[in-house]
Amino acid sequence: MIRPELVGVAEVPDGPPLRLFRRGADFMIVLERNELMSTRMSGSEVALGTMTCDRLADRPAPHLLVGGYGMGFTLRAVLAQLGPDASVTVAELVPGIIEWARGPMAALADGCLDDPRVALVIGDVGATIRSAARRYDAILLDVDNGPDGLTRPGNDGLYGPRGLAAAHSALRAGGVLAVWSAAPDPRFARRLGDSGFDVEEVKVRARENGKGATHVIWFATRR
């Protein structure tokens, strides 16, 4: 059995560091003892991108906000579906994540960060949301294992009433807030509804072949 090799460590503001491991051709990003993501299980991250774009099919030049970059599966899925007039802002808090994308995982990134439709913001996606007003057609959030601040306590604010109100204000009419989670959270689903969204909860498999653990994506449409 191939032992995992530590490739790099990335500091997280106000949180424990992330570690990038490689085992053969596979990469894993780990927070303490939690495997946050890996190249072996990308199906639900891809679904976050493709299923959001499906809900924007009638918009000729949509503007999407993706937070955060992770391993880029969601960003690449979005770019594959969007036309040349679309624009995508990527907010990534951890500079080391982008360094990995341009370094040891450059082949996986496949140049997506250099796509002319993409604008990269190194910073807190919550601040990016709060600074916007009716700017985005969709906001895609995959910055934790669900609607809680696992990566850093500051992320809790994204999922509370104030954070959801900010997301609601940042979306254009009929815009979509899409939130990825490793598990269901009925209280969060109710909170979305109480914040002015029509909520759809979709279960997706972790692997693109339809196997693996079941994850959840909430698609919350701004009323």
Side-chain angles (χ1 to χ4, degrees), residues 2-3 5 43 54 64 73 105 130 161 189:
I2 302 174
R3 294 178 61 84
E5 169 197 1
D54 289 343
L64 284 69
F73 291 112
M105 290 194 289
R130 291 190 297 272

Side-chain angles (χ1 to χ4, degrees), residues 1 6 19 22 42 46 69 78 105 121-122 128 183 192 214:
M1 182 176 179
L6 178 62
R19 288 177 169 81
R22 177 169 46 207
S42 59
V46 171
Y69 174 80
V78 161
M105 290 194 289
V121 175
I122 300 297
T128 302
L192 282 169
T214 300

